[in-house]
Amino acid sequence: MVCVEPIKAHHGVWSCNNCYHILHLQCIIKWASSSKSDDGWRCPACQNVVKDVPRDYYCFCGKVKNPPYTRHDIAHTCGKTCGRIEGCSHACTLLCHPGPCPACQAFVKRECGCGKTTK
């Protein structure tokens, strides 16, 4: 077990880029340091190999170091636009959020079969 303590809004956290599991930063530093090999270390939830041991607390989108907690935003977020690029070439337009970004909502132009109408 890595950690069984509840995560509070003022705690520094680490989130896996593969499974999005969230753990205390200090707990994951201990876990990663003790299980590091030449290839890296493995996420305790999904076993995804991570190269470097995390040292700093960042918001979920990775833009802000040590994001301040405000009652108006989700804990551990920066309150800014996410901007992560996952699955397509467009940046996520949601506010900084935990977990994967939703399917791309970018608009594209399409022509009808005859080519007269474009929407």
Side-chain angles (χ1 to χ4, degrees):
M1 297 268 274
V2 178
C3 176
V4 294
E5 296 295 317
I7 296 175
K8 297 185 179 178
H10 63 276
H11 291 159
V13 297
W14 171 83
S15 177
C16 177
N17 291 333
N18 185 57
C19 69
Y20 304 102
H21 197 86
I22 300 168
L23 293 162
H24 293 106
L25 179 62
Q26 294 306 319
C27 297
I28 205 67
I29 289 172
K30 288 178 191 174
W31 169 270
S33 298
S34 67
S35 63
K36 188 165 171 70
S37 68
D38 292 338
D39 296 334
W41 58 278
R42 295 182 180 272
C43 168
C46 70
Q47 299 300 305
N48 183 52
V49 176
V50 181
K51 201 71 168 155
D52 298 318
V53 175
R55 296 288 176 209
D56 298 309
Y57 166 44
Y58 284 92
C59 63
F60 292 118
C61 69
K63 292 179 189 169
V64 177
K65 186 176 178 179
N66 298 317
Y69 171 67
T70 63
R71 293 180 156 201
H72 305 292
D73 294 327
I74 298 172
H76 315 294
T77 66
C78 61
K80 299 177 183 176
T81 303
C82 174
R84 289 185 286 180
I85 297 175
E86 296 180 359
C88 75
S89 61
H90 301 108
C92 178
T93 58
L94 296 178
L95 292 179
C96 181
H97 59 90
C101 296
C104 183
Q105 299 294 317
F107 290 101
V108 294
K109 289 184 178 181
R110 299 276 174 129
E111 288 185 2
C112 66
C114 68
K116 289 182 182 179
T117 307
T118 302
K119 290 188 178 187

